[in-house]
Amino acid sequence: MNLHCTLLALLFSASFAAGAPPPLRIVETKGGAHFGICAEKPTKPAPTLIVIAGPITSMAADKSRWFMATGDALSKQGWIFVMLDPASEGYAQKPGEPSSMAGWAIHAKKGEDFMQPYVAGCREVLDHLVAEGFTDPQRIAVEGVSRGGFCALHFAAAEPRIKAVVGISPVTNPLALKEFASVTPAQAAAISLDGVLENLSGRSVWISIGNSDDRVSTDECIGFTRRLVTATRRLQPTLTLIPVHLHIGMAAGHRAPDDAYTAAADFLLARFP
């Protein structure tokens, strides 16, 4: 069955006209999963960054282009990058379901692990990219921004082909969010990242967050990285250096530090020389 590809009729502003990155197009896989891609098929499988930020249908707007900054930087070095919807958004949103984290909270109150079917859709996209010769299966990274960071960490935990995961101001504990004010720890246990620490153990994890993030909580982010380091030390006691990187920079509220995206690109280029 051939892929159904839809080229978005969205153009970048004049600032991207000269020397602009290629426009985003949306691809639907045989199984009905969707992803956005800003590259043609490479001549040979390429290192690949998967970005989870906002709905992919909005990513072609120039106001959202900064979400692609890491991918744009890597594409100049021979990488390709694709974009996935976060859980409960865009093509990943179920009919009648509230969008984004409001939808997450409703699922959590029911004790539902909504991340498992979401990750299955992400994996279908990755299977497609590898099978079609876009992606080198040995050089795959995922980057998530804010709520997308939570999704990226779950995706990486479930998919051993992902060798590195980047979080830009990521959600690490949904209970820190205002949408989860009436959700109990027991209700959110099914989606807690604490349940996947062992699967992330030994993986390269790079996280950047502002020093006063009052949305996803800087303290929660720090706590998550410490728990991941502890789990890795317990499971891999012979590991001399634990590959968990935490960068805290100046930022007002829930904003990424100014150098977060470029620093993430530098990290991935060093991780995959």
Side-chain angles (χ1 to χ4, degrees):
M1 180 176 178
N2 293 327
L3 290 175
H4 305 287
C5 302
T6 303
L7 181 62
L8 290 180
L10 296 171
L11 300 176
F12 299 121
S13 67
S15 62
F16 290 107
L24 182 77
R25 60 190 175 94
I26 294 180
V27 178
E28 180 180 0
T29 68
K30 292 187 295 183
H34 293 78
F35 64 95
I37 186 166
C38 294
E40 299 302 323
K41 184 175 180 178
T43 56
K44 62 180 181 180
T48 299
L49 175 68
I50 299 170
V51 179
I52 308 174
I56 55 178
T57 52
S58 71
M59 290 296 103
D62 60 6
K63 67 181 181 180
S64 300
R65 188 78 206 187
W66 57 275
F67 281 131
M68 306 184 192
T70 303
D72 283 340
L74 293 175
S75 66
K76 298 174 182 178
Q77 304 296 327
W79 288 56
I80 63 170
F81 78 95
V82 303
M83 305 199 72
L84 300 180
D85 288 315
S88 301
E89 293 186 54
Y91 292 100
Q93 184 178 359
K94 298 177 181 178
E97 175 187 52
S99 66
S100 193
M101 291 170 287
W104 295 16
I106 289 176
H107 288 300
K109 286 182 180 180
K110 299 176 183 178
E112 297 173 354
D113 180 4
F114 61 89
M115 291 305 301
Q116 186 173 1
Y118 168 76
V119 165
C122 296
R123 179 175 282 160
E124 182 178 326
V125 169
L126 182 54
D127 288 342
H128 163 77
L129 291 169
V130 172
E132 294 296 316
F134 282 83
T135 295
D136 179 350
Q138 300 302 316
R139 295 185 290 173
I140 301 169
V142 60
E143 175 183 85
V145 182
S146 189
R147 59 196 181 278
F150 188 79
C151 299
L153 287 161
H154 270 286
F155 184 20
E159 179 48 73
R161 288 175 293 184
I162 296 174
K163 301 300 192 297
V165 55
V166 168
I168 306 292
S169 304
V171 172
T172 53
N173 181 4
L175 294 174
L177 304 171
K178 61 183 180 183
E179 291 87 348
F180 277 67
S182 61
V183 178
T184 67
Q187 290 171 329
I191 60 169
S192 172
L193 285 174
D194 285 351
V196 299
L197 288 175
E198 292 189 0
N199 289 347
L200 289 170
S201 172
R203 215 81 62 90
S204 293
V205 176
W206 189 96
I207 288 177
S208 176
I209 192 165
N211 58 13
S212 59
D213 195 314
D214 54 0
R215 174 65 166 136
V216 304
S217 175
T218 301
D219 288 344
E220 288 289 352
C221 190
I222 294 170
F224 165 74
T225 62
R226 298 313 304 154
R227 293 192 296 277
L228 179 55
V229 167
T230 298
T232 303
R233 184 182 295 117
R234 173 173 55 83
L235 294 168
Q236 302 186 45
T238 61
L239 199 61
T240 303
L241 296 175
I242 297 175
V244 176
H245 309 255
L246 176 62
H247 293 253
I248 300 175
M250 293 188 298
H254 186 47
R255 295 179 62 87
D258 289 343
D259 63 344
Y261 293 95
T262 54
D266 290 342
F267 163 74
L268 290 173
L269 288 172
R271 174 63 179 79
F272 301 96

